[in-house]
């Protein structure tokens, strides 16, 4: 029954505005249901449910889609996908061969260049961003959403500008304009340089070499931007058009005439300075197109500044570093290891032979049961709660994690998951108590798990709230957040309270190539104004922070080498690369003046509907190998006792098999590791009955959690320094639970 409303909302968000009015959604949903729509006496659609002609007409012809007045509304419109802006540049600036021969453009390998929109490489089944995403700042402040802005992180923005600065000069190619020299910064791949019949053959394999000095004249790679401004009157500036006329021509095609006067002036300076420096008009045109990737208006669909407002200059962040760093006292770090897709965690922690649950486990799990002899034995006799038995084991891939557990530096939370308040099977079936919204939905439960507050998505993430509380307690910023994988909910704090989390990649701090670096001042100038568009302000703030923090972190981290570098070098996985970067930042804690660091890492692929074991085995092996190297590095730095790793996933998976794998469930099992962890125990209650009639089983082995995520985060928050007075702010639902809430003394010792 909600299909029409759901589809209408998504379509409007994709084509018109991220925050449509209920009236607009109703109009489009009605067109979808009835299959018909009329506008100005013209009828659209066949009258059949789901008719797309009627639905799209209702979307594009509605007054909210066509009103120029709404373009002036700072809340209207949307951010644009980075991939769309690349394609827009290709089409509007006439990416083509010199001879006019048609040539395919392959949009592949973009992920390696920092552009997180490569085909078949989306982070989840919901695509490259979430429809309910709220970036910190004006969007979140107003309770609105900006889905595409989830792509506005430092690696994506800097990777985009690196590619954009090379495209007008050197055409579409995969060539390298900055270290580490592979992959290249260009948006193309090596196929883009292959020889065509209309081009001379050059180099081996019939491809043009990456010699930038040769990218001129007849030696140019096949595909280049060949557009010329109409104001020129020809292929060269025969009309003597001034910079303002040229910028107007570009503005019409790339930003729909929405270019703000301050940014137009900057681009005119770019054009004139190129000519005054000895370049011709064609060089000046290329210089403007290079900078256009940094124009905020190019990344949004509404006016940057409304017609009744003036701009003010954005404050410049302080990026100074201490020349003689003072050793940080009392340093602590939390590393969050997120298993995206819903990990089958009842294969991670399972009963062994000699446990009364073993027979149940084998019968219920069937073909996905882990043989008892394969499980790595652990002793749970000292657990905080009495478990059904003492004979448990870990998945055979978790060798290092088992060793950490048996060294009393690791523990497990049994049957943990998101809850609003404690409930049993009867209460769930009767609907007499609240439960987290949209149970079993990946995107929603990711937010719920990382926010630890189901009722209000605008409250940010649990680690973000922890940072806000600690900074407020100390009266200064002692908390830093780092994501090594995108822009997670976990690290979001209240707007203006704490500095936004830094986003880097498994390869390290993203940086400009030499082309973009030379124009850094102009790029910053284009984003220097505080504007009225929520989407423009989000982009400009993200770009400014990305550049300043890039310079700061790059200056501190540099080419640092870890003590256990060889261990990490021997691994080849994304999660190993991420934990390597975490270790580098921790190594430089004194220079970064860090007292409390929080890190987000992520490994995907756990949505194992069609896997009865091999995929999970590989993923857990990657985690275990990476954790092994990370623990060794922390030991060698003498800091393992100050670091805690906690794993999480959006929910567990069914105990029963679907014949090929497992499906979405609720409660699951997760580990906590660290030199100060009170290890060798299971916290919470491992289910004592795994059958369909068990008091936690709501069908197909979906188990109601017996430990809420508040149970883990209470002790973690206390260990990190959150006072009792602030605990209700950090964990708003904490008062709803009495059992399985673990304090610092339960988790650490």
């Amino acid at each position: 029954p909600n299909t029409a409303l759901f589809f209408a909302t998504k379509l409007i968000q994709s084509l018109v505005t991220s925050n449509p009015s209920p009236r607009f959604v109703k109009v489009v949903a009605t067109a979808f249901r009835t299959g018909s729509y009329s506008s100005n006496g013209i009828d659209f659609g066949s009258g059949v449910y789901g008719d797309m002609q009627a639905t799209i007409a209702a979307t594009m012809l509605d007054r909210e889609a066509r009103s120029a007045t709404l373009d002036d509304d700072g809340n209207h419109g949307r951010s644009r996908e980075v991939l769309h802006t690349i394609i827009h540049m290709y089409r509007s600036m006439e990416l083509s061969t010199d001879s006019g021969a048609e040539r395919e453009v392959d949009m592949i390998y973009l992920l390696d260049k920092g552009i997180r929109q490569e085909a078949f490489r989306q982070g989840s089944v919901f695509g490259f961003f979430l429809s309910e995403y709220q970036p910190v700042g004006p969007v979140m402040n107003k309770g609105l959403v900006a889905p595409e802005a989830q792509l506005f992180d430092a690696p994506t923005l800097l990777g985009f500008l690196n590619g954009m600065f090379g495209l007008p000069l050197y055409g579409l190619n995969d060539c390298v304009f900055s270290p580490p020299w592979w992959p290249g910064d260009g948006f193309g791949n090596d196929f883009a340089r292959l020889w065509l019949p209309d081009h001379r053959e050059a180099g081996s394999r019939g491809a043009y070499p990456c010699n930038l000095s040769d990218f001129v004249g007849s030696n140019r790679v096949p595909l280049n931007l060949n557009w010329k401004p109409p104001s020129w009157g020809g292929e060269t500036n025969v009309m003597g058009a001034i910079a303002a006329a040229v910028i107007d021509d570009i503005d019409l095609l790339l930003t729909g005439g929405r270019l703000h006067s301050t940014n137009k002036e900057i681009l005119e300076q770019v054009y004139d300075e190129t000519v005054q420096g000895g370049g011709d008009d064609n060089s000046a045109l290329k210089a403007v197109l290079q900078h256009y990737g940094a124009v905020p208006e190019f990344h949004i669909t509404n006016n940057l500044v409304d017609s009744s407002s003036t701009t003010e200059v954005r404050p410049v962040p302080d990026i100074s570093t201490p020349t003689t760093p003072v050793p940080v006292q009392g340093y602590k770090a939390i590393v969050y290891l997120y298993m995206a897709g819903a990990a089958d965690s009842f294969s991670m922690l399972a009963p062994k032979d000699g446990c009364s649950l073993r027979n149940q486990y084998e019968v219920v799990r069937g073909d996905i049961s882990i043989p008892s002899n394969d499980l790595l034995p652990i002793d749970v006799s000292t657990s905080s709660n009495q478990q059904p038995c003492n004979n448990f084991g870990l998945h055979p891939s978790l060798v290092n994690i088992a060793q950490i557990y048996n060294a009393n530096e690791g523990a497990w939370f049994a049957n943990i998951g998101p809850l609003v308040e404690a409930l049993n099977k009867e209460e769930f079936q009767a609907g007499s108590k609240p439960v987290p919204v949209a149970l079993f939905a990946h995107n929603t439960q990711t937010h719920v798990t990382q926010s630890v507050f189901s009722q209000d998505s605008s409250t940010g993430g649990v680690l973000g709230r922890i940072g806000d509380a600690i900074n407020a307690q100390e009266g200064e910023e002692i908390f830093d957040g780092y994501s090594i994988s995108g822009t997670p909910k976990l690290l979001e704090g209240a707007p203006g309270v704490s500095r936004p989390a830094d986003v880097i990649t498994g390869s390290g701090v993203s940086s400009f190539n030499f082309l973009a670096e030379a124009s850094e001042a102009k790029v910053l100038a284009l984003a220097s104004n505080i504007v009225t568009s929520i989407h423009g302000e989000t982009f400009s703030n993200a770009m400014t922070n990305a550049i300043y923090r890039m310079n700061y972190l790059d200056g501190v981290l540099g080419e640092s080498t870890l003590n256990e570098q060889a261990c990490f070098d021997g691994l080849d996985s994304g999660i190993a690369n991420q934990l390597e970067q975490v270790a580098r930042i921790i190594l430089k804690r004194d220079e970064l003046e860090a007292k409390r660091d929080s890190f987000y890492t992520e490994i995907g692929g756990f949505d194992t509907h069609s896997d009865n074991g091999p995929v999970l085995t590989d993923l857990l092996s990657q985690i275990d190998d990476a954790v092994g190297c990370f623990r060794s590095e922390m030991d060698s730095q003498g800091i393992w006792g100050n670091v805690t790793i906690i794993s999480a996933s959006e929910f567990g998976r069914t105990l029963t098999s679907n014949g090929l794998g497992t499906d979405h469930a609720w409660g699951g099992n997760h580990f906590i590791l660290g030199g100060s962890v009170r290890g060798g125990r299971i916290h919470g209650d491992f289910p004592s009955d795994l059958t369909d009639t068990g008091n936690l089983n709501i069908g197909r082995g979906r188990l109601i959690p017996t430990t809420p995520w508040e149970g883990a985060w209470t002790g973690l928050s206390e260990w990190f320094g959150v006072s009792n007075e602030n605990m209700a702010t950090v964990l708003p639902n904490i008062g709803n639970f009495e059992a399985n809430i673990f304090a610092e003394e339960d988790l650490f010792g």
Side-chain angles (χ1 to χ4, degrees), residues 571-650:
L571 303 180
D572 183 22
S573 70
I575 192 63
N577 293 338
Q578 292 178 53
L579 288 179
E580 179 182 349
Q581 297 309 318
V582 172
R584 290 183 187 282
I585 294 172
I586 292 175
L587 180 67
K588 295 292 185 177
R589 57 193 177 276
D590 293 340
E591 289 89 335
L592 292 168
E593 299 179 292
K595 294 182 181 178
R596 293 291 184 271
D597 277 341
S598 59
F599 301 93
Y600 178 87
T601 64
E602 179 180 313
I603 175 172
F606 285 93
D607 197 14
T608 50
H609 292 285
S610 302
D611 171 61
N612 63 0
V615 171
L616 181 67
T617 296
D618 178 61
L619 292 172
L620 294 181
S621 292
Q622 293 179 39
I623 291 173
D624 189 73
D625 289 342
V627 167
C629 289
F630 181 78
R631 186 265 185 105
S632 296
E633 175 63 29
M634 294 300 98
D635 262 339
S636 68
Q637 290 186 26
I639 202 73
W640 178 231
N642 302 67
V643 177
T644 298
I645 305 173
I646 183 169
S647 72
S649 198
E650 55 264 50

Side-chain angles (χ1 to χ4, degrees), residues 300-582:
I300 64 175
T301 64
N302 63 344
N303 293 337
L304 189 64
V305 181
D306 65 50
S307 55
S308 62
S309 299
T310 57
T311 61
E312 57 180 294
V313 178
R314 190 180 312 282
V316 176
D318 179 12
I319 60 170
S320 60
T321 57
T323 54
T324 307
V326 177
V328 172
Q329 301 299 317
Y331 175 83
K332 289 183 179 179
I334 293 176
V335 181
Y336 190 84
L337 199 161
Y338 192 68
M339 304 178 191
D344 183 8
S345 53
F346 279 93
S347 287
M348 293 160 56
L349 174 67
K352 282 178 65 66
D353 286 342
C355 177
S356 58
L357 284 177
R358 182 63 202 182
N359 185 60
Q360 280 189 18
Y361 174 84
E362 292 179 351
V363 171
V364 172
R365 301 236 74 187
D367 65 331
I368 50 177
S369 171
I370 307 293
S372 180
N373 289 339
D374 291 346
L375 292 170
L376 304 172
I378 60 172
D379 180 10
V380 304
S381 60
T382 61
S383 297
S384 53
N385 295 18
Q386 182 65 43
Q387 302 304 324
C389 61
N390 289 331
N391 296 342
F392 281 85
L394 303 186
H395 190 283
S397 295
L398 301 179
V399 176
N400 289 303
I401 292 175
Q403 291 175 349
I404 294 172
Y405 178 96
N406 290 324
N408 293 322
E409 295 177 343
W412 285 78
F413 295 103
N415 197 29
I416 192 171
L419 289 168
V420 176
E421 58 181 279
L423 80 162
N424 57 38
K425 186 174 182 178
E426 291 72 25
E427 292 166 336
F428 174 82
Q429 292 174 335
S432 60
K433 284 189 175 181
V435 298
V437 296
L439 280 174
F440 319 130
H442 288 290
N443 57 338
T444 305
Q445 292 309 299
T446 293
H447 276 201
V448 170
T449 298
Q450 294 186 17
S451 70
V452 195
F453 189 36
S454 173
Q455 300 96 306
D456 187 356
S457 63
S458 67
T459 55
V462 63
L463 261 175
R465 293 197 301 273
I466 287 173
D468 291 345
I470 292 175
N471 286 341
Q473 289 170 198
E474 297 296 320
E476 61 176 325
E477 288 214 10
I478 69 167
F479 173 92
D480 284 311
Y482 300 89
S483 172
I484 326 296
S485 182
T487 52
K489 185 73 173 176
L490 179 82
L491 296 174
E492 290 179 5
V497 176
S498 302
R499 185 177 55 78
D502 291 304
V503 180
I504 64 176
T505 72
S507 300
V509 180
S510 299
S511 60
F512 277 151
N513 58 35
F514 75 92
L515 297 169
E517 184 178 20
S519 295
E520 184 178 302
K522 286 288 196 298
V523 171
L524 284 170
L526 288 165
S528 64
N529 289 318
I530 297 175
V531 298
T532 58
S533 165
I534 60 172
H535 306 292
E537 180 61 17
T538 298
F539 173 85
S540 296
N541 191 55
M543 179 64 76
T544 301
N545 284 335
I547 293 174
Y548 280 112
R549 291 298 294 179
M550 167 194 72
N551 291 332
Y552 176 70
L553 291 175
D554 193 46
V556 172
L557 300 179
E559 298 295 326
S560 56
T561 301
L562 298 174
N563 300 319
E564 298 294 329
Q565 190 64 56
C567 186
F568 283 108
D569 289 346
L571 303 180
D572 183 22
S573 70
I575 192 63
N577 293 338
Q578 292 178 53
L579 288 179
E580 179 182 349
Q581 297 309 318
V582 172

